[in-house]
Amino acid sequence: MRSVLTILLAFAAGVLVTLWLPGRPGTPSLPEHHPADLPPASASMSPGVSYAAGFEADSEGDDWPPEGPTPEQVLYAQPRLLRDALARVTPRIAGKPNLYLLTFAGDGAEDVFHNEAEYAAKLFTTRFGATAHSLVLENNPATLTSHPLASWSNLDAALAGLGKLMRPEQDILLLYISSHGSEDHTLLVDMDPLPLDQIGAQDLAGILAMHPFKWKVVVINACYSGGFVPPLRAPDTLVLAAARTDRSSFGCGSDSDITYFGKAWLVDALNHTDNFVDAFRQASSEIRQWERQDKLTPSEPQIDIGIGIENQLALWRKGFTPGPAVAFKPPVAAPAAAATTTK
């Protein structure tokens, strides 16, 4: 039944994309997505909260806002929401490398991921000047009508859209993913009861390979995210992972506002340096202290630095003077999201 529903919805979305997008000058077209059969991290922070393999979505849709749009309305609105989000991306600054941040908050059952995705977008565009641009994909009951979903289809389409706004040989793509992760290195993509495809390590590498970006920074903030490093490794890519391939990361859960890695790398480190590698080293040290204090098994964040990416990031940094620190303040939930629960 799920397969049939997925096929019908994908077909309908494709028809809507075809009908809505032609004739709109300056707006990137959105490709169709062909889903595969594929099989999920971490203030105030909540120490010791992590999710392991076997995480299952709540089939009853308890997180859906009772006063919000219907699931069908949300699905049919995706082409428009993504088109509008791409249209809001700030103009490219000519004559220097630009950085395009795409955030992806995968699990709609916990605000922590949504908080992190929106904060990252605010941090980059406020602190790193006009050469930094952002687009947010997120699953959250409070943003069903304001932001495109974090889904396989929207990730692929957003990358295609950004590819038409960027100069792929000069500009840098920064993909920041925050969600739960499983021991088989699969990200949880969930906005229950929508039938969303999950994204594994090889899947993500395949999605990125379909687009023409030369320079990439990929940040995977999830349990077991070290398993994403090998398939994403490339000479022109910086890969950051919140945990070792066989370790959990921490700070997620209903009592958390931001994950351990999100607080350490985004809030504490990037508010003091614009160097992503230096920020990672600072964040790793800070996370070790928190884990030791809370008597947790060390997550051991991972980094892989392609031979060319640091020079390109340095060129980008020359194009702006960092602004002041950006305080982290969790967004206030909309009334329609007040009745949400946590899995």
Side-chain angles (χ1 to χ4, degrees), residues 264-328:
W265 192 67
L266 292 172
V267 182
D268 295 345
L270 287 181
N271 271 312
H272 295 91
T273 179
D274 54 9
N275 186 304
F276 298 161
V277 174
D278 289 349
F280 174 84
R281 291 168 180 152
Q282 177 184 322
S284 296
S285 176
E286 191 169 32
I287 290 168
R288 279 196 299 272
Q289 294 177 23
W290 295 337
E291 291 170 337
R292 189 180 303 118
Q293 175 182 324
D294 295 327
K295 297 181 172 56
L296 302 171
T297 301
S299 54
E300 297 187 20
Q302 302 290 299
I303 185 170
D304 187 88
I305 307 172
I307 57 175
I309 186 62
E310 281 195 288
N311 289 337
Q312 194 66 12
L313 286 169
L315 286 175
W316 169 65
R317 292 196 298 271
K318 288 181 180 179
F320 65 90
T321 300
V326 178
F328 171 75

Side-chain angles (χ1 to χ4, degrees), residues 30-256:
L30 309 179
E32 294 184 38
H33 161 53
H34 304 281
D37 293 327
L38 299 163
S42 306
S44 93
M45 295 181 302
S46 179
V49 179
S50 67
Y51 280 72
F55 189 92
E56 295 182 359
D58 179 359
S59 61
E60 296 182 1
D62 291 340
D63 299 305
W64 198 267
E67 298 178 2
T70 68
E72 182 177 4
Q73 289 172 330
V74 169
L75 283 174
Y76 276 85
Q78 290 312 298
R80 174 182 57 80
L81 288 172
L82 187 52
R83 184 185 68 236
D84 291 348
L86 285 164
R88 289 193 299 270
V89 174
T90 52
R92 184 183 186 277
I93 303 301
K96 57 184 68 177
N98 284 225
L99 182 141
Y100 289 78
L101 170 69
L102 176 59
T103 63
F104 185 102
D107 181 17
E110 294 179 8
D111 287 340
V112 61
F113 307 114
H114 142 82
N115 294 349
E116 199 163 287
E118 296 203 358
Y119 174 75
K122 180 180 179 182
L123 172 70
F124 274 74
T125 55
T126 302
R127 179 162 155 74
F128 299 142
T131 61
H133 317 271
S134 69
L135 192 157
V136 177
L137 304 178
E138 60 183 344
N139 296 332
N140 191 273
T143 62
L144 292 173
T145 61
S146 61
H147 286 77
L149 292 172
S151 66
W152 180 315
S153 300
N154 278 354
L155 175 59
D156 189 30
L159 290 170
L162 289 176
K164 295 184 178 184
L165 299 176
M166 297 169 62
R167 291 193 176 179
E169 291 297 314
Q170 182 181 12
D171 296 338
I172 302 161
L173 171 73
L174 196 163
L175 175 60
Y176 188 98
I177 297 178
S178 185
S179 190
H180 293 302
S182 69
E183 289 180 286
D184 67 351
H185 311 127
T186 300
L187 296 166
L188 178 63
V189 182
D190 178 45
M191 189 59 243
D192 206 34
L194 300 177
L196 303 181
D197 292 327
Q198 309 304 290
I199 300 176
Q202 294 292 343
D203 306 326
L204 182 60
I207 293 169
L208 287 168
M210 294 172 61
H211 301 279
F213 308 110
K214 177 178 175 63
W215 308 105
K216 296 185 290 294
V217 178
V218 185
V219 183
I220 310 294
N221 184 4
C223 292
Y224 312 105
S225 50
F228 283 76
V229 174
L232 293 172
R233 180 178 290 126
D236 303 322
T237 301
L238 170 65
V239 186
L240 308 181
R244 210 170 77 177
T245 185
D246 59 347
R247 296 285 175 86
S248 296
S249 57
F250 303 98
C252 58
S254 58
D255 295 329
S256 295

